[in-house]
Amino acid sequence: MFRTMTGPRSVRSVSALGLICHALSMPVFPAEPLRVVGGYTARAFSDAYVQDATKAARNSFQRFLENAAPHTTFETVAFETNSDLIQALKSKRIDMVGGSPNQIVEIAREVPIEPAFVAEGVSGFFHEAVLLVAADSPFRQLEDLEGKTLMLLEGAEGGHLRLWLDTWALRDTGRPFERFFGVISLGRNGSQTTLACFFAKADACLVPRGTIDEARKANPQVALKLRELGSSVGLPAAVLAFRPGYDARVKAMITEIVTHVQDNIFGQQVMKLFHQKRFIRFKPEHLAATEALVREHEQLLKTSRDGLMARP
């Protein structure tokens, strides 16, 4: 049985948890009743996209459930904020949590969660954020873009990219990027975001490294017309974690299944739908760069606020 309790804006946020849903549908679990609940925070996506993706996901999941273990239930619950998610972990209302690396770092400060998996997307396990501008533009440093137009990825997919850009903006301009750029718009995917710069509909765009690499391969003109203004270190695409004190037997079974989900044709179909390839087991170094970035961002944000408060 698969029961999803989500709002209308949650599809990509739950993608990694959806793969675990498939994994749990395989007849590896014991016959006694087993209920696993995963949580995530909803992010803003266009309703039209989510409706299409939800329908496709349900059709795919239905095929998985034909072979589901009859006594296993996997549920996913959407929360509005990280604070709500943290409270659910503390009260043991959810067993697992999935999110962007900066979300996981924030949650881990409040709850001793146990990161278990890192997802490999089309761009690899680690995504570099890249800020692009037109090759013939006069922009040579971030300060040159003050008051200009920016397009970035909407929703959770672009969350850690925005964290990097905000840190850069605070460091070089003393302001968050939302107060630095004049107009900010959202792209539904990396291709749409890149094309905004390519066709001069935005002065700058923020995308993962893999997106621009694929665009350059597909169209050599992209390499000629777009230039990188800056890029980040690699950050994980997504991380999954168990709540503290979760049943060790169930954790071991989930770990075994999830790390081999790409070996099953149905698992491959779901991963393709959500632009993922496979999972590997988490290592502490996977979050090291994110933790450093979060610390720097917090310090810069505090300095910026202190500076604004000190102004006459």
Side-chain angles (χ1 to χ4, degrees), residues 90-112:
K90 288 181 176 180
S91 62
K92 299 182 180 181
R93 287 189 289 130
I94 59 175
D95 306 307
M96 298 189 68
V97 58
S100 62
N102 46 305
Q103 282 183 288
I104 295 299
V105 168
E106 179 182 338
I107 292 168
R109 291 178 171 182
E110 300 293 331
V111 184

Side-chain angles (χ1 to χ4, degrees), residues 6-307:
T6 64
R9 303 176 298 169
S10 62
V11 171
R12 290 190 197 177
S13 299
V14 77
S15 59
L17 292 172
L19 292 181
I20 292 185
C21 167
H22 161 54
L24 294 182
S25 74
M26 298 173 65
V28 177
F29 283 78
E32 65 266 21
L34 176 63
R35 178 174 175 265
V36 182
V37 183
Y40 61 97
T41 54
R43 292 291 186 254
F45 295 103
S46 68
D47 290 341
Y49 170 82
V50 170
Q51 289 171 4
D52 292 342
T54 300
K55 183 177 180 180
R58 285 177 178 170
N59 290 339
S60 297
F61 288 142
Q62 186 59 45
R63 298 186 65 187
F64 301 156
L65 297 176
E66 292 175 358
N67 297 314
H71 300 292
T72 299
T73 300
F74 188 90
E75 300 174 2
T76 55
V77 185
F79 296 90
E80 286 298 318
T81 67
N82 260 12
S83 296
D84 296 333
L85 192 59
I86 288 168
Q87 290 304 314
L89 284 164
K90 288 181 176 180
S91 62
K92 299 182 180 181
R93 287 189 289 130
I94 59 175
D95 306 307
M96 298 189 68
V97 58
S100 62
N102 46 305
Q103 282 183 288
I104 295 299
V105 168
E106 179 182 338
I107 292 168
R109 291 178 171 182
E110 300 293 331
V111 184
I113 55 175
E114 302 174 26
F117 313 106
V118 175
E120 180 181 15
V122 295
S123 303
F125 291 106
F126 298 96
H127 288 187
E128 291 180 35
V130 180
L131 186 65
L132 298 171
V133 297
D136 59 357
S137 72
F139 311 127
R140 293 291 181 267
Q141 55 188 1
L142 184 62
E143 291 93 327
D144 297 335
L145 288 167
E146 183 174 6
K148 302 301 182 181
T149 58
L150 168 72
M151 178 171 278
L152 44 78
L153 287 171
E154 65 183 357
E157 188 174 358
H160 49 301
L161 308 184
R162 292 194 295 273
L163 174 67
W164 167 76
L165 180 60
D166 205 44
T167 303
W168 186 10
L170 286 165
R171 185 192 309 121
D172 286 15
T173 74
R175 285 175 286 171
F177 79 85
E178 292 179 341
R179 297 181 57 189
F180 175 74
F181 287 93
V183 177
I184 299 175
S185 56
L186 301 177
R188 287 173 54 181
N189 52 54
S191 296
Q192 183 186 42
T193 306
T194 302
L195 290 175
C197 272
F198 187 81
F199 290 113
K201 297 190 180 297
D203 295 308
C205 61
L206 182 67
V207 296
R209 167 74 64 189
T211 295
I212 186 62
D213 288 346
E214 290 179 358
R216 286 166 175 160
K217 292 177 182 178
N219 183 357
Q221 287 297 312
V222 171
L224 298 176
K225 293 190 65 174
L226 297 180
R227 170 169 48 86
E228 295 182 20
L229 196 66
S231 62
S232 74
V233 298
L235 303 172
V239 179
L240 303 179
F242 294 108
R243 67 168 169 80
Y246 191 48
D247 186 279
R249 178 183 61 94
V250 179
K251 283 195 300 184
M253 288 188 289
I254 293 175
T255 298
E256 178 65 22
I257 294 171
V258 170
T259 51
H260 292 90
V261 69
Q262 72 278 357
D263 300 331
N264 181 282
I265 187 170
F266 296 132
Q268 293 169 11
Q269 290 173 355
V270 176
M271 286 191 284
K272 183 177 181 180
L273 177 64
F274 292 112
H275 309 290
Q276 295 174 350
K277 293 182 178 179
R278 63 184 175 122
F279 291 102
I280 61 171
R281 296 191 184 191
F282 173 84
K283 297 180 180 179
E285 53 264 35
H286 290 152
L287 281 178
T290 303
E291 290 170 340
L293 184 62
V294 169
R295 286 194 299 268
E296 181 184 8
H297 181 262
E298 289 175 341
Q299 183 58 49
L300 289 168
L301 196 60
K302 181 179 183 300
T303 300
S304 173
R305 288 171 177 167
D306 290 346

